[in-house]
Amino acid sequence: MALRSLLNPLKGANLCVLPSQSGLGVCRLLSSPVQVRGYAKKVAVKGKGKGMVKDVLKGPEVCKDPVKLTTHAVGVNVYKQGEDPPLKPKEEYPEWLFDLDLGPIKKLSEMDPESHEYWKRLRKEHMWRFNRLHKGKKF
């Protein structure tokens, strides 16, 4: 107790009081600061919490101008600056572009069993069925 009162003026210094067998404390001046382990500080989150309203993501603006829709490829420009490219005459595009089947997907019963598309679709439907049957089952 007396040793601590003597060392009280040296509070700012790196001192370590070690107990000894005789009951007297041994004082040692440390050359490096003592590190104390503790929990990491929590990171303060700005603007997010239970009471905060989430920002709604906004999509691109929808063009409703019929003249621009018929003369330009609206939505094709991926750059921040610039405009949508104008549409070319039909003769400048390849012929296969107009032969693409853009309708609804054919059912398996309507396809030819000898075609590659038939077997690809059959495999895909079996995977869908298998996943539906095993949904929610544990390992």
Side-chain angles (χ1 to χ4, degrees), residues 13-56:
N14 293 325
L15 293 174
C16 178
V17 179
L18 304 171
S20 66
Q21 292 176 350
S22 64
L24 299 172
V26 178
C27 180
R28 210 173 106 190
L29 185 64
L30 299 174
S31 60
S32 64
V34 179
Q35 293 183 351
V36 179
R37 292 181 185 245
Y39 294 109
K41 293 181 182 179
K42 291 185 179 180
V43 179
V45 180
K46 295 180 181 177
K48 291 189 178 181
K50 291 183 180 178
M52 299 294 292
V53 178
K54 293 183 180 177
D55 294 333
V56 179

Side-chain angles (χ1 to χ4, degrees), residues 50-112:
K50 291 183 180 178
M52 299 294 292
V53 178
K54 293 183 180 177
D55 294 333
V56 179
L57 295 175
K58 295 180 181 178
E61 294 180 19
V62 179
C63 179
K64 296 180 181 178
D65 182 24
V67 175
K68 187 168 183 176
L69 288 171
T70 55
T71 58
H72 290 79
V74 179
V76 177
N77 183 26
V78 293
Y79 302 109
K80 288 183 179 180
Q81 297 174 346
E83 296 180 0
D84 294 319
L87 292 175
K88 299 176 183 176
K90 192 173 182 177
E91 294 80 30
E92 292 188 35
Y93 291 106
E95 207 158 304
W96 59 265
L97 185 64
F98 301 103
D99 295 335
L100 292 175
D101 186 20
L102 300 176
I105 299 172
K106 293 181 182 177
K107 294 181 182 176
L108 200 60
S109 59
E110 297 172 357
M111 292 181 164
D112 178 30

Side-chain angles (χ1 to χ4, degrees), residues 125-136:
E125 286 187 9
H126 278 286
M127 283 192 285
W128 289 340
R129 181 177 176 273
F130 180 82
N131 289 341
R132 266 197 321 267
L133 291 173
H134 289 80
K135 186 177 183 180

